[in-house]
Amino acid sequence: MIIICWDYDGTLVSSENIYKNVFVKYLTENNLIVNNIDDQCYFSRYGGRHPFTIFNQLKSDGYIYKNAELNKTKFFLAMQKELNTTNNLLPTDQIDKVLEDVSKRKDVVMAIVTSTYRNDLEAKHDNKSVSALKKYFTVENNIYICGEIGNKELKPSPNGYIFAYNDIIKKNNILNTKNTLIMVEDSVSGCKSGRSAKHLLQDEVNSIVIGYMVANKYSKREELLEAGADITISTPQEMINFIKSIN
């Protein structure tokens, strides 16, 4: 069997810009910024991480005040409001075509592994512009939220992938079959998570980490490969062709 675990933000949906805009707006309105956070800085250093992790890292890196505090309730209310009203939340380019093509294979099982928290994920997943994803993924069935499973560690911990893989092979009764695990990530943090999971599962399954660069234009190919990607993919058709090449 081929098990394909997709990251959510930046891989299936183009939401990273929304995260960045809400984050910078929140920091600006609360007078927390010391140094300007431009797009290149944000996406190359912090893309794919959970807001709490980003906030603490921004403090360490000197972009916001050392004594700054994140009002979690206020921040997530702002995020959910943006997700419910914005026209910028869209599926990544032709991902519906990719998912439709891949799902036709009888030997493929798909899931999502994400560090996004439940309320945030549900707000995005309920957005009409990405509702087509519900055909393939639901929170009840095959969306694994890292903060709620296993040891509850977020990416770049391998926790989400390890838990998801073990759960999937049990649910689908493929414990003793030859399986391939594909982890599709768009960020440095995500590729690090996949690399660690690949190392820990090396005796159980053939694992491949894909650096998916269709939507994320800020992570360089070399950065994703260094972080743990085995290959990088830049177009939807390239992804389709790669999955077809796996026997």
Side-chain angles (χ1 to χ4, degrees):
M1 292 291 290
I2 301 172
I3 301 166
I4 306 177
C5 290
W6 300 85
D7 175 49
Y8 194 77
D9 294 292
T11 303
L12 294 177
V13 297
S14 298
S15 54
E16 291 288 3
N17 273 315
I18 297 174
Y19 270 100
K20 187 260 180 183
N21 292 340
V22 172
F23 217 109
V24 172
K25 182 180 179 181
Y26 173 88
L27 296 174
T28 302
E29 290 179 347
N30 288 276
N31 299 311
L32 300 178
I33 294 180
V34 177
N35 294 305
N36 181 53
I37 309 168
D38 60 27
D39 284 356
Q40 183 61 43
C41 166
Y42 180 89
F43 291 110
S44 63
R45 295 190 185 189
Y46 312 114
R49 295 176 181 263
H50 189 270
F52 300 167
T53 304
I54 294 173
F55 188 83
N56 290 328
Q57 194 62 51
L58 286 168
K59 284 203 287 188
S60 298
D61 294 345
Y63 286 98
I64 60 179
Y65 291 106
K66 296 288 185 182
N67 62 348
E69 297 292 336
L70 179 66
N71 184 318
K72 298 174 183 178
T73 300
K74 185 176 179 181
F75 177 82
F76 279 112
L77 283 174
M79 178 63 72
Q80 289 178 20
K81 180 180 178 181
E82 182 73 8
L83 290 169
N84 288 330
T85 59
T86 186
N87 294 319
N88 295 325
L89 182 67
L90 297 170
T92 55
D93 185 32
Q94 297 183 59
I95 194 63
D96 53 341
K97 178 183 176 182
V98 175
L99 294 174
E100 181 180 7
D101 192 272
V102 171
S103 66
K104 290 177 181 177
R105 288 189 59 157
K106 302 294 185 181
D107 60 346
V108 166
V109 177
M110 294 196 296
I112 288 173
V113 176
T114 177
S115 283
T116 301
Y117 275 35
R118 180 178 291 271
N119 289 346
D120 189 7
L121 174 70
E122 289 177 343
K124 281 178 285 193
H125 212 52
D126 287 340
N127 191 296
K128 292 181 180 179
S129 61
V130 297
S131 60
L133 295 178
K134 289 185 176 181
K135 178 180 178 181
Y136 308 100
F137 308 105
T138 63
V139 174
E140 297 76 19
N141 183 40
N142 59 350
I143 296 180
Y144 296 88
I145 301 172
C146 295
E148 298 182 2
I149 57 177
N151 60 21
K152 300 184 179 181
E153 290 182 353
L154 307 178
K155 298 174 185 177
S157 165
N159 164 60
Y161 283 119
I162 300 295
F163 184 95
Y165 172 73
N166 287 322
D167 190 57
I168 290 167
I169 61 175
K170 289 177 184 177
K171 280 182 177 178
N172 293 275
N173 195 27
I174 50 176
L175 288 165
N176 299 311
T177 61
K178 183 179 180 181
N179 300 313
T180 297
L181 172 63
I182 300 175
M183 295 165 277
V184 190
E185 288 282 356
D186 72 299
S187 69
V188 167
S189 176
C191 287
K192 287 181 178 179
S193 175
R195 176 175 60 188
S196 296
K198 179 179 179 178
H199 174 72
L200 292 170
L201 293 170
Q202 61 184 338
D203 295 330
E204 300 180 39
V205 64
N206 174 40
S207 299
I208 303 168
V209 182
I210 294 178
Y212 198 66
M213 302 184 66
V214 174
N216 185 348
K217 305 302 182 183
Y218 295 93
S219 292
K220 296 178 181 178
R221 179 176 183 272
E222 295 76 14
E223 292 174 336
L224 297 182
L225 291 172
E226 184 178 353
D230 295 299
I231 63 168
T232 59
I233 284 179
S234 302
T235 69
Q237 189 59 50
E238 190 180 352
M239 184 68 183
I240 291 172
N241 293 341
F242 178 78
I243 300 300
K244 284 182 177 178
S245 72
I246 299 176
N247 297 317

